[in-house]
Amino acid sequence: MQTRTLGTHGLKVSALGFGCMGLNFGYGTAVSNDEGIALIRQAVERGVTFFDTAEVYGPFTNEEMVGEALRPVRDNVVFATKFGFNIVDGKQAGLNSRPDHIRTVADASLKRLGVEVIDLFYQHRVDPDVPIEDVAGAVKDLIAAGKVRHFGLSEPGAATVRKAHAVHPVTTLQNEYSLWTRGPETNGILETCEELGIGLVAYSPLGKGFLTGAMSKDTTIAEGDFRASLPRFTPKAMQANQTLVDLLRRIAETKAATSAQIALAWLMAQKPWIVPIPGTTKLHRLEENLAAAEVELTPADLADIQTAAAGITVEGDRYPAHLMTTVGR
């Protein structure tokens, strides 16, 4: 597996990471703890060193699974987890990035993961009630105490990144980025990363499964699957957005690849400091995703994709209105 470096402080990770959320949270189904642990370890065997989780996934159970899976190879992997929510009676209950809460979450995450230091600690969403300078200061103190190695932010606005970075260097941002979610190209995030030496971790790089070609307007979304609440996953939107999947399929056929591999290869070709973190519950999909690192897209290929994609209008917001207000702040 190729490696990439996130930020300018030596955080080296596999060129493709593993987004662990979907193993037991978010999609209405969950693999067993043993199955999840086995898949994570199979990812390690295939060269993956970067694993993403969060306290709110479960809540808590995803961190426990990831920790149990990776503790035997702790020195060879990077743990990324996140803070920033209140969790009450096992449910997410609003934002909370008060410094005392950040410290409490760090200690709890360390215990669940079973490690002595969190490699990358993200603020999951910007809390408008807590100055970002205070958040950065709290994480800076955790780094000084040896409990955290690197500071990250998920879905911030560019101005917020700059304010945080002035207090303590931000190693990486985590934003949704893919061929159908290209906000980082126009909202200042990529420019800010380039200027300040910050890496970008791209979550949902396969459009929450849609860009793989495995879904269509006729797909029934399971009860409990959060995609049922997303505007892009209505039958009407999926029918309209099929044009983008058709584009990926056409390119894939010329490369003896799959649509998912082209989507991931395109993303990795944008910048050398972008690391996608696709998730899956299936070994053959894991292997398919990892093989994307071997797909070579020429400048002509990338230009063709850009031209074709520019003519496609993606139908539907990526989140419902109340969640869209929590990103880009």
Side-chain angles (χ1 to χ4, degrees), residues 46-67:
R46 287 156 177 78
V48 178
T49 65
F50 186 39
F51 294 85
D52 182 88
T53 183
E55 63 156 356
V56 78
Y57 301 159
F60 311 133
T61 56
N62 198 259
E63 281 187 323
E64 292 167 351
M65 177 188 291
V66 171

Side-chain angles (χ1 to χ4, degrees), residues 265-280:
W266 174 86
L267 193 49
M268 288 188 286
Q270 301 310 297
K271 298 289 182 180
W273 36 262
I274 291 176
V275 175
I277 53 167
T280 185

Side-chain angles (χ1 to χ4, degrees), residues 121-302:
F121 203 34
Y122 292 104
Q123 183 188 39
H124 209 148
R125 290 291 184 270
V126 173
D127 186 341
D129 295 328
V130 181
I132 196 63
E133 294 87 349
D134 293 352
V135 174
V139 178
K140 180 179 181 179
D141 290 345
L142 289 168
I143 292 171
K147 294 182 178 182
V148 170
R149 288 196 173 109
H150 296 275
F151 175 34
L153 298 171
S154 182
E155 292 283 3
T160 298
V161 177
R162 294 177 185 279
K163 291 177 183 178
H165 194 76
V167 175
H168 186 84
V170 176
T171 294
T172 190
L173 305 183
Q174 183 174 132
N175 280 60
E176 185 172 358
Y177 187 25
S178 69
L179 265 170
W180 80 340
T181 299
R182 300 181 67 171
E185 298 174 358
T186 57
N187 62 14
I189 288 299
L190 290 185
E191 291 90 339
T192 301
C193 287
E194 190 96 66
E195 177 185 341
L196 300 180
I198 298 172
L200 184 73
V201 173
Y203 77 86
S204 295
L206 297 176
K208 300 178 175 65
F210 186 76
L211 297 182
T212 67
M215 304 181 73
S216 73
K217 65 180 179 61
D218 298 318
T219 299
T220 299
I221 298 176
E223 183 178 352
D225 187 327
F226 79 108
R227 290 175 294 186
S229 69
L230 305 183
R232 286 188 187 173
F233 285 87
T234 64
K236 178 184 176 184
M238 286 196 284
Q239 182 174 16
N241 293 329
Q242 184 64 37
T243 306
L244 188 54
V245 176
D246 293 341
L247 167 63
L248 288 170
R249 185 177 291 116
R250 288 197 301 273
I251 298 166
E253 288 173 353
T254 71
K255 295 289 183 179
T258 67
S259 297
Q261 289 168 346
I262 297 301
L264 293 171
W266 174 86
L267 193 49
M268 288 188 286
Q270 301 310 297
K271 298 289 182 180
W273 36 262
I274 291 176
V275 175
I277 53 167
T280 185
T281 60
K282 299 177 177 64
L283 178 59
H284 72 278
R285 291 299 187 195
L286 170 66
E287 293 176 332
E288 176 185 346
N289 292 342
L290 297 183
E294 307 304 321
V295 175
E296 293 188 15
L297 296 177
T298 67
D301 293 330
L302 294 169

Side-chain angles (χ1 to χ4, degrees), residues 1-6 10-17 47-51 77-79 119-120 201 274-275 277:
M1 172 64 72
Q2 304 164 22
T3 61
R4 294 190 167 196
T5 300
L6 293 169
L11 182 57
K12 183 177 288 188
V13 299
S14 50
L16 283 157
V48 178
T49 65
F50 186 39
F51 294 85
V77 297
V78 171
F79 285 84
D119 298 303
L120 176 57
V201 173
I274 291 176
V275 175
I277 53 167

Side-chain angles (χ1 to χ4, degrees), residues 73-135:
V73 292
R74 197 281 169 264
D75 292 341
N76 301 319
V77 297
V78 171
F79 285 84
T81 193
K82 312 177 194 73
F83 64 87
F85 289 104
N86 271 324
I87 298 173
V88 178
D89 296 329
K91 295 182 179 180
Q92 181 182 319
L95 298 171
N96 186 349
S97 281
R98 298 192 313 272
D100 61 335
H101 185 68
I102 295 172
R103 290 188 287 269
T104 298
V105 172
D107 287 340
S109 289
L110 285 166
K111 184 176 181 179
R112 284 188 292 270
L113 293 169
V115 297
E116 295 182 353
V117 59
I118 297 166
D119 298 303
L120 176 57
F121 203 34
Y122 292 104
Q123 183 188 39
H124 209 148
R125 290 291 184 270
V126 173
D127 186 341
D129 295 328
V130 181
I132 196 63
E133 294 87 349
D134 293 352
V135 174

